[in-house]
Amino acid sequence: MVSVLGVVVLGLAFVAHTFVAAVMTRFLRLRLNTQWGTVLYAVVLIPLALLALTLVTGQLVPLELGQMGTLGLLVGMPLALGFTIDVLYMPSPDEYSVPDTR
């Protein structure tokens, strides 16, 4: 049985995960200059961070994490949506000047 509170918490977790994915993608686009680093970061590190955030959220509030749909909703969809938001709606990294750290 799905409660209203569970749906609200799941929606808030989805929004928070989308925000985290968008911020991590922005950091990726501003700082990394390698092609394989981009692939590794986008395919491994962002989903790993979202999975860890999902597990922490699942311990704080009761979520039904045993279902693959819930993990897809809290990891896969925010990853795709956060990446899309950053790529389509944020200014290009070429418009920013990043100081050289060397």
Side-chain angles (χ1 to χ4, degrees):
M1 191 106 179
V2 178
S3 68
V4 173
L5 181 61
V7 171
V8 169
V9 168
L10 192 61
L12 289 174
F14 177 78
V15 169
H17 287 203
T18 302
F19 177 76
V20 167
V23 168
M24 289 182 76
T25 304
R26 172 55 45 176
F27 177 78
L28 158 78
R29 291 182 66 206
L30 288 176
R31 292 290 179 172
L32 295 180
N33 291 327
T34 64
Q35 185 175 9
W36 281 105
T38 303
V39 171
L40 178 70
Y41 192 85
V43 173
V44 176
L45 294 179
I46 295 175
L48 191 64
L50 292 178
L51 182 63
L53 189 58
T54 299
L55 294 176
V56 169
T57 304
Q59 293 296 319
L60 297 176
V61 292
L63 295 173
E64 295 180 22
L65 296 177
Q67 300 174 352
M68 285 302 291
T70 304
L71 285 178
L73 182 67
L74 291 177
V75 176
M77 288 295 294
L79 176 65
L81 189 59
F83 189 77
T84 302
I85 288 170
D86 184 62
V87 170
L88 294 180
Y89 297 111
M90 298 297 292
S92 173
D94 298 335
E95 296 178 16
Y96 295 103
S97 62
V98 178
D100 191 17
T101 58
R102 297 181 208 181

